[in-house]
Amino acid sequence: MNALWLHWETPDGWKLLRVKLWRGSMADCVRLLKSVSPEELVTAYRRRRPYIHCGPEPANPAIQDIHGAWTLEAPLSIYLMPRYLVFLRGQTVLRAIALTNIEEAGTLKRIDQPGADGLLRFRAEQETLAFALRDAEGFAAQLAEAARLNLEVPLGPKRKSDDWDDDLQ
């Protein structure tokens, strides 16, 4: 059995459809989906696995004041997918950041509250974002790996090299 997860945003919110099919049927389904999908989506899924999914995880956006103390805003959910980091409130998408735009993913310990949840911090779209969440280190590792995988050149079918000469065979 193979599994396929289809994500999309509708006016009613974020949707996830999980499909499980036998290998042959899934291959037919994927071929059909490739024929109607944008090229950048097909390219993204030719990259080497794993396709990382993490969450949705409850998180609080965090802002640091000039004295080093962190203020936490209203909770939301963050969901790491193979191509995007999505911020949700309920089923409503607040923001989606392409993983190709994420840099410097890491964690911070809170000096102002040492026993509190750790902070996930990263740069995206020319701003630094921070979130308090339960397993900040684990999420940061997954985010860094997913961002790295999105920068790799996708696998393609083997082809003859440019210097291949058919007359030599």
Side-chain angles (χ1 to χ4, degrees), residues 45-51 145 149 152 155:
Y45 282 90
R46 284 191 180 135
R47 290 192 172 91
R48 190 172 8 151
R49 291 178 178 93
Y51 302 132
E145 178 70 4
L149 289 171
E152 288 185 352
L155 299 173

Side-chain angles (χ1 to χ4, degrees), residues 48-116:
R48 190 172 8 151
R49 291 178 178 93
Y51 302 132
I52 296 174
H53 289 87
C54 192
E57 295 288 333
N60 295 79
I63 299 172
Q64 190 174 30
D65 66 21
I66 60 171
H67 304 291
W70 291 91
T71 303
L72 303 183
E73 296 182 350
L76 51 86
S77 296
I78 56 176
Y79 188 18
L80 176 58
M81 300 174 21
R83 293 183 60 222
Y84 291 96
L85 180 63
V86 180
F87 303 96
L88 302 163
R89 183 153 290 121
Q91 294 296 314
T92 303
V93 176
L94 302 174
R95 184 175 179 183
I97 300 175
L99 293 181
T100 54
N101 295 332
I102 292 181
E103 304 172 332
E104 303 172 21
T107 59
L108 297 170
K109 294 198 186 284
R110 292 185 60 182
I111 297 171
D112 62 335
Q113 292 182 14

Side-chain angles (χ1 to χ4, degrees), residues 15 42 65 90 103 134 166:
K15 303 292 181 193
V42 173
D65 66 21
E103 304 172 332
R134 190 170 26 93
D166 288 331

Side-chain angles (χ1 to χ4, degrees), residues 14 32 44 71 73 117 137:
W14 192 256
L32 174 68
T71 303
E73 296 182 350
D117 290 340
E137 288 184 17

Side-chain angles (χ1 to χ4, degrees), residues 17-28:
L17 174 65
R18 294 179 183 158
V19 179
K20 283 188 176 184
L21 295 171
W22 293 106
R23 185 175 183 175
S25 298
M26 183 62 78
D28 293 340

